[in-house]
């Protein structure tokens, strides 16, 4: 059992919190109340950033002390919104939110994952018609191993997990968000994930 704080109680955060609780972890969900995120992070070993990516850097940098020594799983994408509310452009072109977080939080182990799919797939990957891929980016091997174990609890087979390397590789997976609005406009909100076929 791992003590996990989920920051954000929208569709992504709520979905992850429910699945991780069902898997036997001690999960605290922080809502938008002042101080709730810091309090939740203080008592956790793993913190999941499921807050909107556009405000994540400022929000999490303000929690440097609470996040020190913790694993920070960043599942968000930092984008501007188009007129239809779907992602438009990257906020950090040439870098990534995950890299910005790691630089701002040197005492925290940032791991980027689960950001290349619609949110239902995060906790039900086997429901797709073919195996999806989930990517890992991060500097600390032990942190990535801990995240692998949590992904397994969410239904991800080990062969579906692709470790891309250091945090710099997150710029590739974050850029994959640029596919999403076009896929949604063409096919609706049918669950999908980016997948590597071999």
């Amino acid at each position: 059992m791992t003590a996990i704080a989920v920051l954000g109680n929208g569709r992504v955060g709520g979905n992850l919190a429910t699945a991780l609780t069902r898997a036997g972890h001690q999960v605290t969900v922080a809502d938008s109340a002042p101080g709730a995120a810091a309090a939740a992070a203080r008592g956790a070993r793993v913190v999941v950033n499921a807050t909107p990516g556009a405000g994540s850097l400022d929000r999490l940098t303000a929690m440097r002390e609470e996040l020190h020594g913790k694993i920070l799983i960043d599942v968000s994408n930092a984008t501007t919104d188009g007129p239809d509310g779907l992602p438009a452009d990257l906020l950090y072109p040439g870098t990534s939110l995950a890299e910005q977080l790691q630089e701002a939080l040197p005492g925290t182990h940032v791991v980027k994952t689960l950001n290349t799919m619609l949110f239902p797939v995060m906790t039900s990957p086997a429901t797709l018609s073919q195996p999806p891929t989930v990517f890992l980016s991060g500097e600390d091997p032990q942190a990535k191993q801990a995240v692998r174990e949590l992904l397994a609890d969410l239904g991800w087979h080990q062969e579906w997990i692709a470790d891309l390397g250091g945090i710099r590789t997150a710029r590739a997976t974050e850029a994959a968000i640029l596919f999403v609005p076009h896929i949604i406009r063409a096919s609706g909100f049918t669950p999908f994930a980016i997948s590597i076929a071999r």
Side-chain angles (χ1 to χ4, degrees):
M1 183 187 72
T2 302
I4 301 171
V6 177
L7 309 184
N9 61 350
R11 291 178 300 179
V12 173
N15 186 42
L16 287 169
T18 298
L20 290 167
T21 300
R22 192 181 301 124
H25 298 288
Q26 179 185 333
V27 179
T28 302
V29 179
D31 58 22
S32 58
R42 197 174 291 119
R45 177 185 173 225
V46 174
V47 178
V48 178
N49 176 37
T51 65
S56 289
L57 185 57
D58 289 342
R59 188 178 294 112
L60 295 172
T61 299
M63 295 169 51
R64 185 179 287 108
E65 182 179 331
E66 290 83 3
L67 292 171
H68 186 81
K70 309 294 175 68
I71 297 170
L72 176 62
I73 301 176
D74 181 34
V75 304
S76 63
N77 288 301
T79 64
T80 61
D81 288 336
D84 56 2
L86 294 175
D89 295 315
L90 299 175
L91 284 180
Y92 302 104
T95 177
S96 64
L97 172 59
E99 289 173 89
Q100 298 294 312
L101 288 170
Q102 187 62 85
E103 183 177 351
L105 302 166
T108 303
H109 306 300
V110 179
V111 179
K112 190 81 182 191
T113 193
L114 290 172
N115 64 308
T116 55
M117 61 200 69
L118 285 190
F119 78 93
V121 181
M122 295 178 176
T123 58
S124 300
T127 59
L128 296 183
S129 61
Q130 61 189 44
T133 305
V134 64
F135 303 96
L136 292 176
S137 299
E139 298 298 325
D140 187 84
Q142 290 181 319
K144 286 197 283 188
Q145 180 56 35
V147 175
R148 274 183 175 273
E149 292 168 9
L150 291 176
L151 289 172
D153 289 341
L154 295 176
W156 289 92
H157 299 182
Q158 289 303 304
E159 62 270 23
W160 297 352
I161 303 172
D163 186 341
L164 298 182
I167 201 67
R168 191 175 188 273
T169 63
R171 64 184 62 180
T173 59
E174 288 191 26
I177 191 67
L178 299 179
F179 280 104
V180 170
H182 307 298
I183 294 170
I184 290 174
R185 289 184 193 114
S187 307
F189 282 90
T190 304
F192 70 87
I194 303 295
S195 181
I196 304 298
R198 292 187 173 91

